[in-house]
Amino acid sequence: MEGLRLALFFILASSCFSSLYAAEDAVEVFVKGVTSIAKTDDNFICATLDWWPSEKCDYNQCPWEKAGILNLDLNNKILANAIKAFDPLRIRIGGSLQDQVVYQVGDAIKKFPHFKKQGDGLFGFSRGSLPMDRWDQLNALFSQANAKITFGLNALLGKRKSDNSTLWVGDWNSNNARDFMKYTASKGYKIDSYELGNELCASGVSARLEADQYAKDIVQLKEILKDLYPDRQTQPKLLGPAGFFESEWFKTFLEVSGPQVVDGVTHHIYNLGAGVDKTLINKVQDPYFLDEIAETFKDLENVIKEFGPWAGPWVGESGGAYNSGGKDVSHTFVNGFWYLDQLGMTATFNHKVYCRQALIGGNYGLLNTTSFIPNPDYYGALLWHRLMGKTVLGTSHFGSPYLRTYTHCSKQKPGITMLIINMSNSTSFDVSVINDVNKYPHSYKMTVNGPNKREEYHLTPKDGNIQSDVVLLNGTPLQLTSSQDIPPLNPKIVDSSSPIRVAPDSIVYVTIRDFKAPACA
């Protein structure tokens, strides 16, 4: 009898222990399909290419190797295939050193320097230059791989340092930029947009400009665009100010530059702190910490509504952790909790584009810096690009804050696609999607469990290790094909009558074709 009691005790203890570490929660997620809450650009996903030379080092590491614009292997087949898979991928060319780059064309510049380590230079480097044969090679890749290009221009030419150590004054000398843009247009290279300067707004980073002077400079750039591209249909868009948001600076910039000058208001986000931060892995899994940045997205959206309604907000650069990202976190599966959550969050605040730092380079590249093999966030971004349309729907639930949900109308297909992020390492969720089809609260709501099938894409880390560089799709590792192509991303087909099972430490895209959302009509 005593043995039976002991056996029962251990069975009960085991059950309690199991439920503690493998808890299951049923959650209803409400989707308001009657009206949209925001719209993104058709090509919301964007990645950057940066100017950093191999000598860019932080925290006793040099993670850029040959991934900069001037030394990247443009003939690498994986690179071309990774870009081509998006069809198209939006790429922003720019970064910290762009305001020290001159262009080897025309006669406005007499000497063409090369980037070298220099203690008193901006960001510790001398000025550098872009040869036109390298620009030709870059455009050959962009054309082959069907990329949409944003090019960041040097905004400091012609300016001088004031007595203040970071403030630069004087008018922008646009001659070299004009020669470069004229060459680009004459070659027929397709530029989607030009951006002026990098992180010069508000308090700046290594240099700064006053808002009214920057506005004056960007108006000058607009006139150059009108002259070089008189056909409004083919005229590249104009973006700025490409730095960290500060309300009064941005208001002044938009007021002084005036209507119909900038098409996109770009700001940068590095809300995770320094790449060397030992708490980085905790931050990317903390929903309360991740929510703190939402106020910035909302404030910029409101400033644009009031002072620049002709423009849309863009995240022009975001790597999460600055100074090249965290070497044990930013390229691994767990970083997707921060990255994909920010994609969902910024879309709800009407941001049109989100540019990830970087396509390749540093610790935060979507591609491995040396092998070019895609990191987990590459596949998360590719699935977003293929599945999530530009119309954003209100989505909410009353469950755990570690369960994050975002919904868009599906891309080029009927129904909706939902992004579900489970940051909990111990709880799985059974998600039922509720179609809130009425405009008014407390009205009839319909559970989506019809006879049709739904498509599910479950992303999980290899061996359950959230710091793995290998991601599984529906249990199968995503690996390049024998011809170095991006593998097919096929869904799991599931009966719509069952809840969506979301495992701990997982990311799920779900497409529901029979979801009746008038906003998606």
Side-chain angles (χ1 to χ4, degrees):
M1 189 67 177
E2 189 63 28
L4 180 59
R5 287 176 180 168
L6 279 171
L8 287 171
F9 170 82
F10 282 116
I11 289 170
L12 289 170
S14 175
S15 174
C16 291
F17 184 88
S18 175
S19 63
L20 179 65
Y21 287 94
E24 297 177 9
D25 278 357
V27 177
E28 292 182 333
V29 175
F30 298 89
V31 177
K32 291 185 176 294
V34 175
T35 56
S36 64
I37 60 170
K39 287 191 184 294
T40 71
D41 187 86
D42 281 326
N43 296 291
F44 178 69
I45 297 294
C46 167
T48 68
L49 288 175
D50 207 301
W51 292 100
W52 288 122
S54 302
E55 295 80 13
K56 161 66 173 172
C57 303
D58 296 293
Y59 321 125
N60 298 315
Q61 52 175 312
C62 304
W64 281 86
E65 303 191 31
K66 291 188 176 181
I69 293 163
L70 296 176
N71 59 12
L72 180 64
D73 178 7
L74 302 181
N75 295 314
N76 185 283
K77 188 174 181 181
I78 300 174
L79 175 65
N81 288 340
I83 297 172
K84 197 181 300 182
F86 281 82
D87 193 30
L89 175 63
R90 187 184 291 278
I91 295 177
R92 181 244 186 182
I93 297 175
S96 298
L97 297 184
Q98 85 178 47
D99 294 304
Q100 291 166 263
V101 177
V102 295
Y103 319 109
Q104 294 187 19
V105 61
D107 56 9
I109 302 293
K110 304 303 181 187
K111 293 183 179 180
F112 299 114
H114 300 284
F115 285 126
K116 295 179 182 177
K117 295 284 283 185
Q118 180 177 311
D120 61 349
L122 292 181
F123 301 97
F125 284 89
S126 69
R127 292 207 302 176
S129 58
L130 173 63
M132 289 304 95
D133 60 350
R134 181 63 175 180
W135 183 228
D136 295 338
Q137 294 161 13
L138 283 159
N139 278 279
L141 170 65
F142 299 151
S143 176
Q144 172 202 350
N146 190 22
K148 295 178 76 73
I149 301 302
T150 293
F151 189 91
L153 294 164
N154 181 341
L156 293 183
L157 276 178
K159 299 183 183 293
R160 66 187 186 280
K161 279 188 176 183
S162 70
D163 293 336
N164 182 302
S165 62
T166 60
L167 179 65
W168 288 59
V169 295
D171 291 338
W172 178 48
N173 183 336
S174 62
N175 291 336
N176 186 231
R178 183 188 181 92
D179 288 341
F180 170 73
M181 296 163 71
K182 185 176 181 180
Y183 175 87
T184 300
S186 71
K187 299 286 282 189
Y189 298 151
K190 294 181 180 179
I191 304 298
D192 179 76
S193 45
Y194 281 101
E195 190 173 36
L196 183 62
N198 185 80
E199 297 179 351
L200 302 173
C201 58
S203 58
V205 177
S206 193
R208 69 182 181 91
L209 301 177
E210 297 290 6
D212 54 352
Q213 179 62 59
Y214 180 82
K216 183 179 177 181
D217 296 339
I218 210 164
V219 168
Q220 183 185 167
L221 178 53
K222 185 70 171 184
E223 292 306 310
I224 295 172
L225 283 172
K226 289 179 180 178
D227 183 41
L228 294 178
Y229 299 89
D231 182 354
R232 179 67 178 169
Q233 299 301 314
T234 59
Q235 188 180 109
K237 294 187 284 290
L238 182 54
L239 311 175
F244 295 99
F245 176 70
E246 195 280 314
S247 180
E248 292 306 315
W249 197 101
F250 274 62
K251 288 176 184 177
T252 301
F253 155 59
L254 288 169
E255 285 185 305
V256 176
S257 59
Q260 311 305 325
V261 173
V262 292
D263 302 283
V265 179
T266 49
H267 70 123
H268 294 181
I269 295 292
Y270 284 90
N271 63 309
L272 299 178
V276 76
D277 186 351
K278 296 186 185 304
T279 68
L280 181 60
I281 193 167
N282 300 322
K283 288 179 177 178
V284 297
Q285 300 175 84
D286 183 349
Y288 302 100
F289 179 84
L290 296 179
D291 279 341
E292 290 175 5
I293 197 63
E295 194 69 25
T296 297
F297 301 135
K298 177 185 175 184
D299 288 347
L300 177 57
E301 180 190 20
N302 289 338
V303 165
I304 292 174
K305 280 180 181 177
E306 184 174 357
F307 296 93
W310 52 86
W314 290 35
V315 172
E317 180 183 316
S318 183
Y322 59 82
N323 280 345
S324 303
K327 69 182 182 67
D328 298 320
V329 175
S330 298
H331 57 88
T332 71
F333 178 87
V334 72
N335 197 63
F337 294 156
W338 159 78
Y339 175 47
L340 296 180
D341 186 61
Q342 280 224 339
L343 294 181
M345 189 185 298
T346 51
T348 64
F349 289 108
N350 216 37
H351 281 54
K352 307 308 176 186
V353 173
Y354 189 106
C355 295
R356 165 66 178 264
Q357 173 82 347
L359 174 60
I360 187 167
N363 295 305
Y364 41 32
L366 294 177
L367 307 178
N368 182 282
T369 303
T370 53
S371 70
F372 291 74
I373 292 173
N375 287 320
D377 280 354
Y378 172 88
Y379 291 109
L382 183 57
L383 281 169
W384 176 293
H385 179 76
R386 290 180 177 180
L387 300 175
M388 303 284 270
K390 64 183 181 179
T391 301
V392 187
L393 303 177
T395 307
S396 61
H397 67 80
F398 300 102
S400 167
Y402 289 86
L403 182 71
R404 316 283 273 193
T405 54
Y406 301 98
T407 309
H408 289 215
C409 298
S410 293
K411 195 166 192 174
Q412 299 176 340
K413 291 182 179 179
I416 63 167
T417 297
M418 180 179 290
L419 167 63
I420 307 173
I421 306 169
N422 183 2
M423 299 179 186
S424 171
N425 60 13
S426 59
T427 302
S428 63
F429 295 95
D430 286 338
V431 173
S432 297
V433 180
I434 308 297
N435 189 351
D436 189 347
V437 294
N438 291 277
K439 298 180 182 179
Y440 309 104
H442 314 302
S443 298
Y444 174 73
K445 299 174 180 64
M446 178 177 65
T447 303
V448 182
N449 58 357
N452 292 337
K453 306 292 184 181
R454 65 172 180 260
E455 301 155 24
E456 296 184 0
Y457 304 78
H458 293 254
L459 299 176
T460 53
K462 183 181 179 183
D463 299 326
N465 175 16
I466 59 174
Q467 289 177 268
S468 174
D469 283 341
V470 179
V471 60
L472 313 183
L473 173 60
N474 297 324
T476 300
L478 288 173
Q479 298 174 326
L480 297 175
T481 68
S482 58
S483 57
Q484 296 185 316
D485 283 314
I486 300 303
L489 305 181
N490 297 321
K492 178 171 67 172
I493 307 301
V494 180
D495 189 330
S496 290
S497 65
S498 60
I500 303 160
R501 172 59 60 89
V502 184
D505 287 331
S506 72
I507 297 164
V508 184
Y509 287 94
V510 181
T511 296
I512 305 173
R513 298 285 176 222
D514 58 336
F515 190 101
K516 307 302 181 186
C520 300

